[in-house]
Amino acid sequence: MTKIHELDTPVVLIDIDRVEANLKRAQDYADAHGVKLRPHIKTHKLPQLAKRQMELGAIGITCQKIGEAEVMADAGITDIFLPYNILGEPKLKRLLALAKRTSIKVIADSATTIDGYSKAFSGSGVTLPVLVECDTGGGRVGVQTPEEALTLAKHIASSEGLRFAGLMTYPAKGTVAKANAWLERATGLLKDAGLSPEIVSTGGTPDIWHSGENRAATEYRPGTYIYLDRFQVQEGVGSFEDCALTVLATIVSRPTDNRAVLDTGSKSLTSDTLGLQGFGRIVEYPDAALVSLSEEHGVVDLTNSKAKPKVGEMVRIIPNHVCPVSNLFDEVTFVRGDDVVETIPVAARGKVA
């Protein structure tokens, strides 16, 4: 059996035992608190892992782009949520084709988006479930007030080819109570108008262990929980020992006593810092600092590290944010301990539309 040290670097390693433990831990919590999980596959982009999430109890999956949803539908997954405003005739044609072969739900936060859906689905024989996206404090997209949510819900309900299916939000981390109050207010308005939401969807791995407090929500969409990363460890979601994805790199230079250089730069590790210092944690040298990235080089400051790596040595890096890393590699390698189990393509990689 191939060993990790025999691999060419840089390469993404996925510890399958840690993946399984992370998935089971979250599903056990969800089951204990009556939470329905709808995992976001943008973190891993692998049909194999999406299916495992559903085998363990997830009610379906979440995809961020049509291309991801197409890949998952091709793999036989039949319950997909696409929480993104779909605009433009080419994408709407793809959405209709997708809806004809699998169960898919989308969102909207404007009348323009709703009208586009209606035009595409009118007379098609397919009814598209549409949720209203709500900005409960995340400050990205979504209607700004529960009253606006009601207005759009009415617009969806009166549009040919569409069905109002509920509410969706992606709240800022640490704002579970605020988001819940917003959603409860909107749900009350909808019920009074005879438009009780079938689905109220929220999410976010940083608050996954508080998902049972979302009284207004019917489902939860975590993504990064499957792998975890340096940021999620900082947020208390898990420990470094729970992190399932690492990037295996090689020390290619030691120009000075306190500087090492990796063969792993911005094309292998995300440049996201997420407020953290540096660009990842080196497992074997936790006191070293990965201080800068160019395209193919990562510069490591060894000033505070008593141990010093040698040229040619391999190290594992826990990224600040794993989701972009999945989109930087054509393949990932599943490992168990020091053994390579298999290498598989990242099927939904590069699906940005």
Side-chain angles (χ1 to χ4, degrees), residues 63-70 82 84 86 91 351-353:
C63 298
Q64 199 65 9
K65 292 297 184 76
I66 292 177
E68 290 179 346
E70 289 168 336
L82 185 57
Y84 205 89
I86 308 300
K91 285 188 174 65
K351 305 302 182 183
V352 296

Side-chain angles (χ1 to χ4, degrees), residues 4 78 104 109 128 204 240 258 353:
I4 289 173
T78 59
I104 189 161
D109 70 353
L128 178 67
F240 287 121
N258 286 327

Side-chain angles (χ1 to χ4, degrees), residues 114-232:
I114 294 167
D115 292 342
Y117 293 151
S118 182
K119 181 179 178 181
F121 279 76
S122 295
S124 68
V126 179
T127 299
L128 178 67
V130 183
L131 288 76
V132 175
E133 180 156 9
C134 308
D135 181 1
T136 59
R140 188 165 63 183
V141 294
V143 297
Q144 298 300 294
T145 67
E147 289 75 18
E148 290 180 58
L150 174 60
T151 298
L152 281 193
K154 289 179 177 178
H155 191 48
I156 294 166
S158 64
S159 296
E160 186 178 351
L162 310 182
R163 175 173 66 82
F164 172 64
L167 304 172
M168 172 265 175
T169 189
Y170 183 70
K173 67 182 178 69
T175 62
V176 172
K178 178 182 177 182
N180 190 73
W182 201 110
L183 294 170
E184 285 184 331
R185 168 66 178 157
T187 298
L189 292 175
L190 290 164
K191 287 181 177 178
D192 290 344
L195 288 170
S196 292
E198 170 193 344
I199 300 166
V200 179
S201 182
T202 187
T205 294
D207 288 319
I208 190 170
W209 306 128
H210 297 282
S211 58
E213 301 166 20
N214 290 287
R215 298 179 304 276
T218 64
E219 65 177 41
Y220 200 81
R221 308 181 318 276
T224 316
Y225 81 109
I226 188 170
Y227 291 156
L228 298 182
D229 54 26
R230 191 172 170 224
F231 177 74
Q232 299 299 337

Side-chain angles (χ1 to χ4, degrees), residues 73 90 97 123 215 238 247 251 268 277 283 291 320 330:
R215 298 179 304 276
V247 177
I251 304 291
S268 304
Q277 293 295 315
V283 174
V291 293
N320 289 345
D330 290 331

